[in-house]
């Protein structure tokens, strides 16, 4: 390639043309706008860093100058303070005082602007120090408050958990309460049903007792007459000694008061259960004398060898116990009355009351009436732990004993038997032999010598103080056969 240059001169009309060869560079890509801006930014950044370094250097120098001046000012203040103390502590000459005044006054020596600036910085340091102290106190107070706030927050969270737990427990208790209410409702329903059933059973029981009493009364009238009925019991105070024979006369209760018990006792006598074998008065419990039919002396409970229930023959005949605990408050357990022993089904053993046992052998209602509410409550609390336990829990066990007769002759005989010795009156040393050792578990109220019952008879046309007519001779027709109603052993 070549470039042609043409030069034209105004002074000369000639034209000279010179041709020189030149080298043309290769075309390059022009820089982009982004690259140009980046290069510019780098240059500006370099310039800024340089200016920043210069400014930092200037500030360092200015701070060093200010710090040096400040130190000088503080030293000056110290010198002035020291001179003032010297002035106060000694008497100076007038010319020294003038020199000191000249030293204290820096006006005209130091630029006032620098003094003001130094005073300002000193005040600023004092304020800064005071502010730092206040800030330290504030930080301490803030830390204390933050600590308390954290404690309160923890307490609040603990309370929230406690409240949540209490709410959960409340919900659980509400659900349980609802279940309990339903259960109580069901139980109340069952209790009402049971109460109605009990009332029905009580009504049926009273009805059955009334029917049994009515049938017993009819049977007594048909077989033994309208009454009153008297029974003679012959006893031997000393076995084998006929002269010790004594007689007890009992008058049975009116049949309208105790028909079932009177019928049972008369039937036992008529069937010979008190006239065969070895019936006897065997127990003396100080408040009663208890008699039993044959074969009670052969039972293990009274020292015999026969185990089990001794009155199976009477049970088979339905004559061992009463069907219910018949009792009439009009015929109570007073002294010398007789009643069937045992609860809840009394019989066939009977006892003679040596004391007025109405409170212990009668009904709870009669005890309440005789003792009064306060005394009855104290008795129930001491004996059973409360009135409710007696009226509810022990009600069945506190049913009365049937009282069906009373002694009308032979009071002295009964008193004599009551003075007889029992096992409880013996010293323990007297029970060392083999036979007695086997009986160590026997009832301590057992008589050492049981009183044998020789005979029990039903009397007809009894009159007090005279022998009854026809004793042992009464015959009764029953089903075409003769039945002896009075037997003697």
């Amino acid at each position: 390639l070549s470039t042609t240059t043409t030069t034209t001169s105004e002074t000369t009309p000639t034209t000279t043309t010179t041709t020189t060869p030149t080298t043309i560079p290769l075309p390059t890509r022009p820089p982009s706008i982004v690259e140009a801006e980046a290069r510019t930014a780098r240059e500006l950044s370099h310039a800024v860093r340089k200016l920043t370094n210069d400014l930092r250097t200037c500030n360092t120098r200015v701070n060093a100058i200010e710090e040096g001046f400040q130190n000088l000012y503080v030293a000056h203040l110290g010198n002035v303070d020291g001179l003032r103390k010297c002035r106060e502590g000694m008497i100076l000459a007038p010319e020294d005082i003038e020199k000191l005044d000249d030293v204290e006054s820096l006006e005209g020596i130091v630029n006032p602007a620098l003094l003001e600036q130094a005073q300002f910085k000193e005040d600023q340091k004092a304020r800064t120090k005071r502010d730092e102290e206040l800030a330290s106190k504030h930080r301490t107070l803030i830390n204390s408050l933050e600590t308390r706030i954290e404690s309160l927050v923890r307490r609040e969270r603990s309370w929230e958990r406690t409240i949540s737990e209490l709410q959960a427990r409340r919900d659980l208790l509400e659900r349980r309460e609802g279940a309990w209410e339903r259960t109580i409702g069901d139980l109340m329903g069952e209790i009402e049903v049971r109460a109605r059933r009990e009332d029905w059973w009580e009504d049926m029981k009273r009805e059955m007792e009334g029917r049994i009493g009515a049938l017993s009364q009819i049977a007594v009238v048909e077989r033994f007459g309208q009454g009153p009925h008297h029974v003679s019991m012959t006893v031997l105070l000393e076995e084998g000694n006929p002269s010790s024979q004594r007689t007890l006369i009992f008058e049975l209760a009116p049949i309208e008061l105790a028909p079932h018990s009177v019928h049972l006792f008369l039937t036992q006598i008529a069937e010979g259960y008190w006239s065969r074998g070895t019936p006897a008065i065997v127990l003396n419990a100080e408040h009663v004398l208890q008699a039993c039919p044959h074969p009670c002396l052969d039972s293990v409970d009274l020292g015999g060898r026969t185990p089990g229930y001794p009155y199976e023959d009477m049970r088979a005949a339905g004559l061992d116990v009463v069907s219910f605990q018949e009792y009439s408050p009009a015929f109570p357990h007073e002294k010398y009355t007789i009643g069937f022993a045992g609860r809840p089904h009394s019989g066939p053993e009977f006892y003679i009351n040596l004391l007025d046992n109405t409170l212990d052998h009668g009904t709870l209602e009669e005890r309440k009436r005789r003792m009064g509410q306060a005394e009855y409550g104290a008795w129930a609390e001491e004996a059973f732990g409360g009135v409710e336990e007696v009226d509810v829990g022990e009600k069945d066990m506190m049913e009365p004993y049937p009282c069906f007769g009373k002694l009308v002759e032979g009071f002295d005989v009964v008193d004599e038997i009551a003075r007889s010795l029992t096992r409880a009156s013996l010293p323990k040393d007297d029970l060392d032999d083999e036979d007695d050792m086997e009986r160590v578990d026997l009832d301590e109220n057992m008589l050492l010598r049981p009183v044998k019952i020789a005979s029990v008879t039903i009397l007809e046309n009894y009159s007090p103080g005279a022998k009854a007519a026809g004793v042992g001779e009464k015959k009764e027709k029953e089903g075409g056969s003769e039945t002896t109603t009075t037997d003697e052993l």
Side-chain angles (χ1 to χ4, degrees):
L1 296 178
S2 61
T3 301
T4 304
T5 302
T6 304
T7 305
T8 305
S9 177
E10 293 182 356
T11 59
T12 60
T14 61
T15 302
T16 304
T17 302
T18 305
T19 302
T20 59
T22 58
T23 301
I24 301 174
L26 294 175
T28 59
R29 181 178 60 81
S32 64
I33 297 173
V34 174
E35 291 175 350
E37 290 180 352
R39 186 170 54 252
T40 304
R42 285 193 296 272
E43 293 174 355
L44 290 173
S45 176
H46 179 71
V48 168
R49 283 197 297 273
K50 184 177 180 181
L51 290 174
T52 301
N53 290 332
D54 294 341
L55 181 60
R56 188 179 295 112
T57 302
C58 291
N59 288 334
T60 301
R61 291 178 179 178
V62 168
N63 291 334
I65 293 170
E66 289 181 352
E67 185 178 358
F69 180 77
Q70 191 69 27
N71 292 334
L72 290 174
Y73 180 72
V74 171
H76 171 70
L77 291 178
N79 294 331
V80 171
D81 186 64
L83 290 173
R84 184 179 293 108
K85 290 180 179 179
C86 291
R87 182 179 179 181
E88 292 175 353
M90 63 181 65
I91 300 175
L92 298 178
E95 58 273 13
D96 294 332
I97 295 174
E98 290 178 0
K99 291 180 181 180
L100 183 59
D101 293 336
D102 293 339
V103 172
E104 289 182 359
S105 177
L106 294 179
E107 294 181 0
I109 302 174
V110 182
N111 188 356
L114 292 176
L115 291 175
E116 291 179 1
Q117 185 178 3
Q119 184 65 36
F120 174 77
K121 290 203 171 183
E122 190 68 22
D123 296 340
Q124 189 175 9
K125 285 183 179 180
R127 285 194 299 272
T128 302
K129 184 177 180 181
R130 186 174 61 254
D131 293 342
E132 288 178 353
E133 293 176 354
L134 292 175
S136 177
K137 292 181 180 180
H138 290 166
R139 281 193 297 272
T140 304
L141 181 60
I142 289 171
N143 292 333
S144 176
L145 291 176
E146 289 178 350
T147 303
R148 293 188 63 185
I149 289 171
E150 291 177 358
S151 176
L152 292 175
V153 168
R154 287 194 297 271
R155 286 186 182 180
E156 182 180 6
R157 291 174 181 172
S158 175
W159 291 339
E160 288 177 354
R161 289 193 299 270
T162 303
I163 290 172
S164 300
E165 293 174 358
L166 291 176
Q167 289 176 347
R169 292 185 64 183
R170 182 195 63 188
D171 297 338
L172 177 61
L173 290 176
E174 287 178 352
R175 291 193 296 271
R176 287 184 179 178
E177 183 180 5
W180 291 339
E181 288 179 353
R182 291 190 297 272
T183 303
I184 290 172
D186 297 339
L187 291 176
M188 291 299 295
E190 293 182 4
I191 290 172
E192 291 178 359
V193 172
R194 290 184 180 181
R196 289 195 295 270
R197 287 180 180 176
E198 288 181 2
D199 293 340
W200 180 76
W201 280 110
E202 288 294 330
D203 294 340
M204 187 173 67
K205 178 183 176 183
R206 284 191 292 270
E207 182 181 356
M208 292 300 296
E209 291 174 357
R211 290 184 180 182
I212 292 172
L215 293 175
S216 299
Q217 185 173 354
I218 293 173
V220 170
V221 173
E222 289 180 352
R223 187 172 182 181
F224 305 106
Q226 185 67 39
H229 304 90
H230 294 83
V231 174
S232 172
M233 177 183 291
T234 302
V235 297
L236 290 174
L237 299 182
E238 296 180 8
E239 188 175 1
N241 183 4
S243 62
S244 66
Q245 180 174 304
R246 301 289 187 273
T247 301
L248 304 177
I249 305 297
F250 299 101
E251 180 181 317
L252 302 187
I255 56 175
E256 62 271 11
L257 298 181
H260 180 50
S261 301
V262 170
H263 176 260
L264 178 65
F265 189 57
L266 289 175
T267 305
Q268 289 175 350
I269 297 172
E271 297 298 329
Y273 290 107
W274 286 96
S275 298
R276 70 166 70 101
T278 56
I281 299 174
V282 294
L283 296 179
N284 178 10
E286 295 185 353
H287 66 292
V288 295
L289 289 175
Q290 186 164 319
C292 61
H294 179 79
C296 65
L297 291 179
D298 297 334
S299 66
V300 175
D301 293 339
L302 294 179
R305 302 292 181 179
T306 304
Y309 187 63
Y311 311 117
E312 290 294 343
D313 55 343
M314 300 181 74
R315 175 186 288 177
L319 297 175
D320 58 335
V321 296
V322 293
S323 300
F324 63 95
Q325 297 301 103
E326 184 181 50
Y327 181 78
S328 173
F331 204 87
H333 285 275
E334 296 177 346
K335 187 175 182 178
Y336 297 121
T337 56
I338 59 174
F340 281 121
R343 273 192 300 211
H345 301 292
S346 300
E349 301 168 356
F350 76 92
Y351 59 86
I352 304 171
N353 287 297
L354 301 178
L355 304 172
D356 187 347
N357 293 314
T358 303
L359 293 181
D360 294 327
H361 295 183
T363 61
L364 289 175
E365 289 74 14
E366 194 166 9
R367 176 183 283 273
K368 291 179 184 178
R369 180 177 58 80
R370 291 199 177 195
M371 297 180 67
Q373 191 66 32
E375 188 178 357
Y376 175 79
W379 168 81
E381 185 70 29
E382 180 180 359
F384 300 98
V387 175
E388 184 177 353
E389 283 73 9
V390 179
D391 293 344
V392 179
E394 303 292 336
K395 186 175 181 180
D396 293 338
M397 297 303 297
M398 294 298 293
E399 286 189 324
Y401 293 97
C403 186
F404 60 92
K406 62 182 178 180
L407 184 69
V408 293
E409 288 188 24
F411 298 99
D412 56 337
V413 178
V414 170
D415 294 339
E416 184 177 355
I417 297 173
R419 290 191 293 270
S420 301
L421 296 179
T422 63
R423 288 176 56 84
S425 62
L426 290 178
K428 297 297 182 182
D429 296 339
D430 292 347
L431 300 176
D432 290 340
D433 57 89
E434 183 178 353
D435 293 337
D436 286 337
M437 285 302 292
E438 294 178 358
R439 300 178 182 179
V440 71
D441 292 333
L442 297 178
D443 193 336
E444 291 187 350
N445 297 318
M446 183 177 175
L447 291 172
L448 293 178
R449 295 179 180 179
V451 177
K452 297 297 181 66
I453 298 176
S455 65
V456 179
T457 58
I458 300 173
L459 301 179
E460 187 180 82
N461 301 324
Y462 167 78
S463 61
K467 291 186 178 181
V471 175
E473 299 177 355
K474 181 179 178 183
K475 304 287 185 178
E476 186 178 273
K477 297 286 185 177
E478 273 193 5
S481 62
E482 291 187 353
T483 302
T484 301
T485 59
T486 59
D487 298 325
E488 288 192 358
L489 189 61

